[in-house]
Amino acid sequence: QHHDSFSIAPLFADGMVLQQRSNVPVWGTARAGATVRIKASWGAEASATADADGTWKTKVNTPKAGGPFTLTVTTMDTVVVVKDVLAGEVWLASGQSNMEMPVDGWPPADSIMNAAAEIRNAVYPSIRMFTVHRMISLTPESTAGGSWISASPETAGKFSATGYFFARAVHKALGVPVGIIHSSWGGTRIEPWISGESISTIEAHRDVLKKIAEGRETREAYAAWMRSFPTMDVSKRSGDAQWTGLKFNDDECSLPGFDDSGWREMKLPQGWENSDVGDFDGVVWFRKTLVVPASWIGKQLAIELGPIDDMDVTFINGVRVGGMETGGMWNVARSYTVPDSCLKDSVVSIAIRVVDTQGGGGLYGRPEQLVLRAVGTKDVLSIAGTWKYLPVANYDGRQFTVFGAKDSGYFSHPPKGIGLTNTTPSAIYNAMIAPLVPYAIKGAIWYQGESNTGDPKAYAALLPLMIADWRKQFNVGEFPFYYVQIAPYGYSAGTRSELLREAQLSALGVKNAGMAVTLDIGSARTIHPWNKQEVGRRLALWALAKTYGKKTPYSGPRYTSMKREKNSIVLSFDNAGKGLVLKHTGAEFMIAGADKAFKPAVVRVRGGRLAVSHPDIPKPAAVRYAFTDTSSGILFNSDGLPASSFRTDTWNE
């Protein structure tokens, strides 16, 4: 149906939702100078002429909520009919894994509350979701992969849970179709989601675009070198069978007599991203030969390797002694028994094939975890230290590029140049937001921040920057931007995620911004809390109250000011409803004098205010609420909505 150079942007496809009662942009490509005519079944018409560069754009008036309609787009010898078009409310949903997490969850560790029932009851033909395929790019792209899918028990399991529950709450309250354009990527920082022109206004990222541009030729040479090798697509394999029985022209690497003199050396244990291998997903062999005491010959041995990220197969003297070849084993310590028949003499050759599919890779435990031991004795031999290694295949999330073991082809690769990854500033914006511009949206919802907990101060500037950036790009004014404050979670030692929550709280200073607080529905044990229904509902309350003018409470209490009264600090709040509520007393309120030594406080509710004190602190100077990684929310208003964590001081930690 697409003749020659004629196309419509991917969002204009069967099942789409258009923003109701608007003048919506419609665009695509055509031969330079060609006339494109649009006729809508609700009676609107528009036309456009393709520019010299082959792009065309026009605007079409949309009706009030309803449908299904058709949109007919015609040029010279091509007619495209877009069917099952609804008019309703369109929202962009974006962020990292808590936005990406589907209704059917990520079993076994991370599930969504009542998922089976939610999926069974997902009969909402006028709730539609367009999920943008994951992509990165150096420069802004004009097209993105994805399709519009309506909510049914067959499809809803794959929908963004936060996006779906938001859409459902808005749909039920307004009684109109809701379209969600869902574009998110687990584990991503905020910097890649901001356009190049905006991110380069931040000093720390000023040179990134220049570096990317300068590195283009280097990167293209590397890509050409990669294309000279065979590939193996594993995206069609599923479940536990996905990673078993894979061949990389590398079988001989397990053999004791194999010549590994051309291989390089690496000290183990360490994540290989900290070595010469660098940022690499794929398959790496490790080899080491050592001499064991003669008394061990014929004895039962065991090999311990600590945790391996992600999968391994381990050989001793050419015999496979163990392996873990299913996903999710990246933090499991390996321990395999060695059959006594493996040892003919005291020379032991160890070979380990490691497959890493994302993030860090390799044997990354503690040195004392890497040992050979004689079972039933106290005899232990350390195998930490210098190993030989060879990468034999690269993995890109879909397919392996196979270098094999012959001639160590890998080490002759040309330089990669500045790595373009999903952490590169603007790289995700270019591929997953730019192609959506300027589709007519009502607003955006955002759930991200866990990956930026290492630098909360920077985030306080980046979030408002991104909001302003997206508003400028979509060009529909200061559209509502409602975001989720990250939930409590036990991060690694030294992380101060409460400061990231504070940075998110400060972004409420942005016009038309709103924040859903999740302090009471998180879990210190998982970074993916399971009650996404409430997350979606709280985001929808902001939209219903602020965007759609409904009389509904939308925010929990918000700390505004403090004053000292005798030996107490009295805190005032906005959005207290008919009064503040303390769900239970925990040590979530802390109070300190000028010495900055915080102690658990005594808290009394006085309507919309709190009096906070401690018998041993006659002159209190500061109060903090829920100010740790794993604090949980105990302060609510009469409408049952929680307060954000906050502090009255600005003391530098």
Side-chain angles (χ1 to χ4, degrees):
Q1 78 182 32
H2 294 310
H3 176 75
D4 208 9
S5 55
F6 178 68
S7 74
I8 315 173
L11 286 164
F12 300 93
D14 293 355
M16 71 173 164
V17 183
L18 289 172
Q19 182 58 42
Q20 63 164 330
R21 292 187 166 123
S22 298
N23 196 17
V24 307
V26 183
W27 70 95
T29 62
R31 234 168 294 160
T35 302
V36 179
R37 289 193 170 76
I38 298 179
K39 265 183 107 139
S41 65
W42 60 85
E45 295 190 18
S47 67
T49 304
D51 291 343
D53 66 357
T55 58
W56 59 268
K57 188 169 143 194
T58 183
K59 288 193 159 185
V60 175
N61 282 313
T62 55
K64 70 179 203 309
F69 303 107
T70 58
L71 201 64
T72 305
V73 187
T74 313
T75 182
M76 294 197 290
D77 45 7
T78 310
V79 179
V80 176
V81 181
V82 185
K83 300 189 251 334
D84 188 24
V85 177
L86 300 181
E89 294 299 309
V90 180
W91 287 76
L92 172 61
S94 184
Q96 61 179 109
S97 57
N98 273 308
M99 183 61 86
E100 186 178 42
M101 191 178 187
V103 178
D104 58 16
W106 289 312
D110 292 318
S111 54
I112 297 280
M113 187 169 81
N114 303 331
E118 293 289 12
I119 292 167
R120 203 166 51 241
N121 298 327
V123 187
Y124 294 101
S126 64
I127 293 178
R128 311 272 172 96
M129 194 173 290
F130 183 103
T131 298
V132 177
H133 295 169
R134 285 182 173 192
M135 279 289 291
I136 51 174
S137 174
L138 276 179
T139 50
E141 298 288 340
S142 56
T143 61
S147 54
W148 285 100
I149 294 172
S150 59
S152 72
E154 291 69 52
T155 60
K158 296 289 176 256
F159 280 20
S160 151
T162 298
Y164 170 68
F165 295 129
F166 169 81
R168 187 177 69 181
V170 171
H171 171 69
K172 284 183 166 174
L174 303 181
V176 302
V178 177
I180 302 285
I181 301 169
H182 167 230
S183 183
S184 60
W185 192 327
T188 51
R189 294 171 63 87
I190 193 172
E191 293 89 338
W193 291 98
I194 303 173
S195 77
E197 56 179 307
S198 287
I199 195 79
S200 55
T201 61
I202 299 240
E203 186 63 32
H205 302 297
R206 202 188 54 209
D207 295 337
V208 74
L209 298 179
K210 202 163 109 233
K211 280 206 197 92
I212 288 173
E214 285 166 359
R216 184 170 291 137
E217 279 176 29
T218 312
R219 245 189 334 274
E220 281 167 2
Y222 181 78
W225 174 80
M226 286 280 283
R227 285 194 296 273
S228 71
F229 293 96
T231 58
M232 171 169 51
D233 191 334
V234 289
S235 61
K236 305 287 181 287
R237 303 174 123 215
S238 61
D240 286 352
Q242 187 167 7
W243 309 109
T244 52
L246 298 176
K247 297 275 188 218
F248 302 104
N249 302 332
D250 59 352
D251 286 351
E252 63 269 37
C253 296
S254 66
L255 302 175
F258 179 76
D259 176 13
D260 57 18
S261 58
W263 291 21
R264 295 197 180 164
E265 293 184 340
M266 188 188 301
K267 288 256 195 297
L268 293 183
Q270 69 167 320
W272 69 46
E273 63 278 7
N274 303 317
S275 76
D276 294 344
V277 176
D279 186 14
F280 176 86
D281 297 334
V283 186
V284 178
W285 278 92
F286 293 95
R287 288 175 53 91
K288 188 179 185 71
T289 302
L290 65 158
V291 176
V292 299
S295 61
W296 285 23
I297 299 169
K299 283 220 173 84
Q300 176 88 72
L301 304 186
I303 184 168
E304 296 177 11
L305 300 166
I308 298 181
D309 192 350
D310 291 286
M311 292 167 274
D312 75 292
V313 185
T314 297
F315 299 85
I316 291 202
N317 290 346
V319 178
R320 178 179 169 145
V321 297
M324 291 189 177
E325 292 185 281
T326 54
M329 299 295 179
W330 60 276
N331 55 0
V332 178
R334 311 307 208 251
S335 178
Y336 306 127
T337 28
V338 181
D340 45 20
S341 59
C342 280
L343 256 66
K344 301 283 186 277
D345 52 40
S346 52
V347 178
V348 173
S349 161
I350 308 170
I352 307 165
R353 186 178 85 177
V354 179
V355 178
D356 167 54
T357 60
Q358 60 178 355
L363 290 75
Y364 67 95
R366 300 184 311 280
E368 61 271 22
Q369 288 179 287
L370 273 67
V371 294
L372 265 179
R373 65 170 75 246
V375 177
T377 73
K378 290 206 167 68
D379 297 347
V380 173
L381 209 57
S382 171
I383 54 173
T386 304
W387 288 64
K388 290 289 190 88
Y389 78 89
L390 177 72
V392 294
N394 179 83
Y395 181 65
D396 68 3
R398 191 175 59 88
Q399 64 177 18
F400 287 98
T401 297
V402 180
F403 313 127
K406 301 267 187 301
D407 315 323
S408 309
Y410 178 77
F411 292 127
S412 61
H413 73 72
K416 289 182 184 177
I418 170 176
L420 180 70
T421 69
N422 67 2
T423 61
T424 307
S426 82
I428 302 179
Y429 171 86
N430 287 335
M432 294 178 65
I433 299 294
L436 314 176
V437 173
Y439 199 82
I441 58 172
K442 188 69 174 189
I445 55 174
W446 173 255
Y447 193 159
Q448 188 276 343
E450 297 89 348
S451 290
N452 284 85
T453 49
D455 194 355
K457 195 164 168 290
Y459 199 86
L462 288 165
L463 182 55
L465 178 74
M466 189 189 82
I467 298 171
D469 179 39
W470 287 13
R471 285 173 173 172
K472 180 182 161 194
Q473 307 290 346
F474 279 94
N475 196 22
V476 283
E478 292 176 307
F479 63 71
F481 188 99
Y482 303 134
Y483 57 96
V484 182
Q485 187 182 50
I486 61 170
Y489 173 65
Y491 290 88
S492 55
T495 304
R496 301 286 309 280
S497 62
E498 68 274 18
L499 297 175
L500 195 284
R501 293 200 301 268
E502 181 177 72
Q504 292 177 311
L505 177 64
S506 72
L508 284 174
V510 173
K511 191 177 167 194
N512 280 344
M515 181 175 77
V517 176
T518 59
L519 266 182
D520 57 321
I521 51 173
S523 158
R525 286 189 307 280
T526 173
I527 202 164
H528 302 127
W530 79 328
N531 187 355
K532 294 289 190 279
Q533 289 87 339
E534 188 61 12
V535 177
R537 188 186 79 92
R538 288 177 187 176
L539 286 167
L541 290 176
W542 276 95
L544 294 170
K546 294 295 197 183
T547 307
Y548 298 116
K550 298 280 183 199
K551 288 257 177 289
T552 181
Y554 58 91
S555 168
R558 188 168 157 202
Y559 164 72
T560 53
S561 63
M562 65 162 270
K563 65 175 200 281
R564 210 160 84 202
E565 287 181 9
K566 301 196 185 87
N567 58 356
S568 294
I569 286 179
V570 176
L571 306 174
S572 298
F573 295 85
D574 278 346
N575 296 107
K578 297 192 177 75
L580 298 172
V581 177
L582 278 180
K583 282 281 167 86
H584 53 84
T585 51
E588 296 299 0
F589 281 93
M590 304 290 281
I591 192 164
D595 63 355
K596 304 184 182 180
F598 281 91
K599 296 182 173 177
V602 178
V603 186
R604 291 184 187 82
V605 177
R606 298 185 188 163
R609 301 195 297 170
L610 294 179
V612 187
S613 61
H614 188 284
D616 302 340
I617 304 177
K619 286 190 174 165
V623 172
R624 292 181 175 183
Y625 166 65
F627 221 69
T628 70
D629 273 350
T630 56
S631 299
S632 66
I634 60 170
L635 176 62
F636 294 77
N637 59 18
S638 57
D639 303 307
L641 292 169
S644 163
S645 45
F646 66 86
R647 57 176 171 158
T648 64
D649 64 275
T650 52
W651 294 338
N652 236 345
E653 295 301 309

